[in-house]
């Protein structure tokens, strides 16, 4: 049986990683581009740049290389990373003050979005359930995703809902010098619902659930790493001690990695037709 190769993974990824590397290196070593940001938001921008350079870029390069050769696990990691990329660069485009990298942010966002559209257009009819053995931990993974989505929903609502009811603005938005919280907006409207949908589809053993569930675990891993990175930068630039939260998100990242490995281990080893 022959693997189904697809060089489009490389065609999308190469320009994206080059532009991410350029923008991230610039943001880390020339932080004056964030001069208009508050200290808290600048710290988060630099933390995101560090995560992009040292996690997202290698993940995209490696996953694209193996995905283009038909490796199923690599394709899951690639689409999960691209989904996360859209999340990150929506924030860069809409919540960072205009700077000379603005057009680079827009290109990265556009290429990431169209790469995801291409993937689902090309592979929507794939039978993802057949990718896995019967030993794949469907119930445990589905429940885990529901719990993660529920925790973040409660956490974000505890910050935004009381302020909305009281007619005030959450303290975090004031500290960051923003109009709204872009993370809350993206999570409420798209990413948390998608995580719930992924979990339910997997629990019902729907074919697409076997793609979406591990994809959203990849999203969770990268997002947690982003949060840890920006917390380290915030601690360096401010007097805030984020050690307890770093430990919490570090533990959550390890658990997510465990679930991803359990699922990937059960991918059928034979090549695609």
């Amino acid at each position: 049986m022959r693997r189904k190769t697809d060089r489009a993974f490389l065609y999308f990824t190469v320009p994206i990683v080059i532009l991410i590397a350029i923008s991230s290196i610039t943001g880390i070593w020339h932080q004056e581009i964030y001069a208009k940001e508050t200290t808290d938001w600048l710290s988060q921008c630099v933390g995101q740049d560090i995560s992009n350079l040292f996690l997202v870029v290698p993940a995209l390069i490696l996953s694209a290389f193996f995905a283009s050769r038909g490796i199923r696990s690599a394709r899951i990691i690639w689409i999960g990373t691209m989904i996360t990329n859209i999340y990150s660069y929506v924030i860069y485009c809409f919540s960072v003050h205009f700077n000379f990298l603005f057009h680079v942010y827009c290109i990265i966002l556009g290429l990431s979005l169209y790469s995801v559209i291409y993937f689902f257009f090309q592979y929507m009819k794939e039978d993802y359930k057949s990718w896995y053995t019967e030993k794949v931990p469907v119930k445990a993974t589905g429940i885990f995703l529901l719990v993660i989505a529920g925790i973040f929903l409660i956490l974000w609502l505890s910050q935004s809902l009381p302020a909305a009811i009281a007619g005030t603005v959450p303290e975090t938005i004031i500290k960051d010098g923003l109009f709204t919280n872009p993370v809350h907006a993206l999570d409420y409207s798209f990413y948390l619902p998608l995580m719930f949908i992924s979990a339910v589809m997997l629990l019902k053993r729907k074919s697409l659930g076997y793609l979406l569930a591990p994809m959203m675990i990849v999203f969770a891993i990268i997002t947690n790493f982003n949060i840890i990175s920006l917390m380290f930068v915030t601690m360096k630039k401010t007097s805030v001690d984020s050690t307890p939260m770093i430990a919490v998100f570090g533990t959550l990242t390890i658990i997510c990695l465990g679930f991803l490995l359990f699922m990937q281990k059960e991918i059928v080893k034979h090549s695609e037709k």
Side-chain angles (χ1 to χ4, degrees), residues 75-107:
R75 292 186 174 185
I76 290 172
I77 293 170
W78 184 87
I79 189 63
T81 307
M82 281 297 183
I83 285 284
T84 313
N85 228 29
I86 294 171
Y87 185 95
S88 300
Y89 281 91
V90 165
I91 296 175
Y92 277 109
C93 287
F94 292 98
S95 296
V96 174
H97 282 83
F98 184 90
N99 61 55
F100 71 89
L101 289 174
F102 172 75
H103 299 94
V104 176
Y105 300 153
C106 291
I107 295 170

Side-chain angles (χ1 to χ4, degrees), residues 133-184:
T133 70
E134 291 296 323
K135 296 180 181 179
V136 63
V138 168
K139 187 174 181 180
T141 303
I143 292 173
F144 174 70
L145 282 173
L146 288 175
V147 170
I148 293 298
I151 288 173
F152 276 98
L153 179 60
I154 293 169
L155 179 61
W156 294 161
L157 284 174
S158 70
Q159 296 176 13
S160 62
L161 188 58
I165 293 172
T168 59
V169 179
E171 183 182 349
T172 54
I173 295 177
I174 296 172
K175 287 174 62 179
D176 292 338
L178 301 173
F179 293 110
T180 61
N181 189 319
V183 173
H184 290 179

Side-chain angles (χ1 to χ4, degrees), residues 101 121 137 158 163 172 192 219 235:
L101 289 174
F121 180 80
S158 70
T172 54
L192 290 181
F219 167 79
M235 284 204 313

Side-chain angles (χ1 to χ4, degrees), residues 126-140:
E126 186 81 27
D127 182 10
Y128 294 103
K129 186 175 181 179
S130 69
W131 284 20
Y132 294 89
T133 70
E134 291 296 323
K135 296 180 181 179
V136 63
V138 168
K139 187 174 181 180

Side-chain angles (χ1 to χ4, degrees), residues 115-240:
S115 69
V116 171
I117 292 172
Y118 167 82
F119 180 91
F120 281 101
F121 180 80
Q122 188 76 4
Y123 298 104
M124 178 63 78
K125 296 181 180 179
E126 186 81 27
D127 182 10
Y128 294 103
K129 186 175 181 179
S130 69
W131 284 20
Y132 294 89
T133 70
E134 291 296 323
K135 296 180 181 179
V136 63
V138 168
K139 187 174 181 180
T141 303
I143 292 173
F144 174 70
L145 282 173
L146 288 175
V147 170
I148 293 298
I151 288 173
F152 276 98
L153 179 60
I154 293 169
L155 179 61
W156 294 161
L157 284 174
S158 70
Q159 296 176 13
S160 62
L161 188 58
I165 293 172
T168 59
V169 179
E171 183 182 349
T172 54
I173 295 177
I174 296 172
K175 287 174 62 179
D176 292 338
L178 301 173
F179 293 110
T180 61
N181 189 319
V183 173
H184 290 179
L186 287 167
D187 283 357
Y188 288 150
S189 60
F190 184 70
Y191 285 90
L192 290 181
L194 182 57
M195 193 169 284
F196 276 115
I197 291 168
S198 303
V200 171
M201 291 189 74
L202 182 64
L203 289 171
K204 290 187 174 181
R205 299 183 181 272
K206 301 292 186 181
S207 174
L208 193 57
Y210 287 81
L211 169 68
L212 295 180
M215 179 189 80
M216 293 311 294
I217 293 176
V218 172
F219 167 79
I221 291 168
I222 298 174
T223 301
N224 288 335
F225 189 90
N226 293 345
I227 293 171
I228 292 169
S229 178
L230 66 86
M231 283 183 176
F232 272 114
V233 177
T234 301
M235 284 204 313
K236 183 178 179 181
K237 291 184 176 292
T238 69
S239 58
V240 176

